[in-house]
Amino acid sequence: MDEATRKLVRLRAGDRCEYCLHRQEDAETTHHIEHIVAKQHLGSDDLSNLALACIHGIGQWQHLPLPLPR
């Protein structure tokens, strides 16, 4: 993933974990950009598949409720 994409993800997230909203400035470790659907499972580097996550939020998308079918 290129640097421009990384900057866009951080800007979108407001430098907060997109799962728990923990601010980067209050964190002891650097927030990471993770793929929601892993590249090994054919996930892409598209912004819609990327999330800024703190150490506690990494992988938390797995525990979020799924949208109800229509």
Side-chain angles (χ1 to χ4, degrees):
M1 146 186 6
D2 61 33
E3 188 60 32
T5 300
R6 291 179 183 277
K7 286 181 180 181
L8 285 172
V9 172
R10 286 190 176 277
L11 183 64
R12 177 189 69 201
D15 262 348
R16 289 178 173 263
C17 173
E18 293 188 85
Y19 302 114
C20 70
L21 303 180
H22 189 93
R23 296 185 314 182
Q24 177 62 71
E25 64 192 52
D26 296 334
E28 294 179 17
T29 59
T30 303
H31 289 8
H32 293 276
I33 297 172
E34 73 166 1
H35 289 84
I36 297 168
V37 176
K39 292 188 89 166
Q40 69 188 24
H41 297 294
L42 304 180
S44 70
D45 285 343
D46 187 76
L47 289 175
S48 65
N49 189 46
L50 300 172
L52 187 64
C54 71
I55 193 70
H56 304 289
I58 292 174
Q60 289 302 305
W61 65 269
Q62 299 171 34
H63 305 291
L64 295 175
L66 295 173
L68 295 173
R70 294 179 183 211

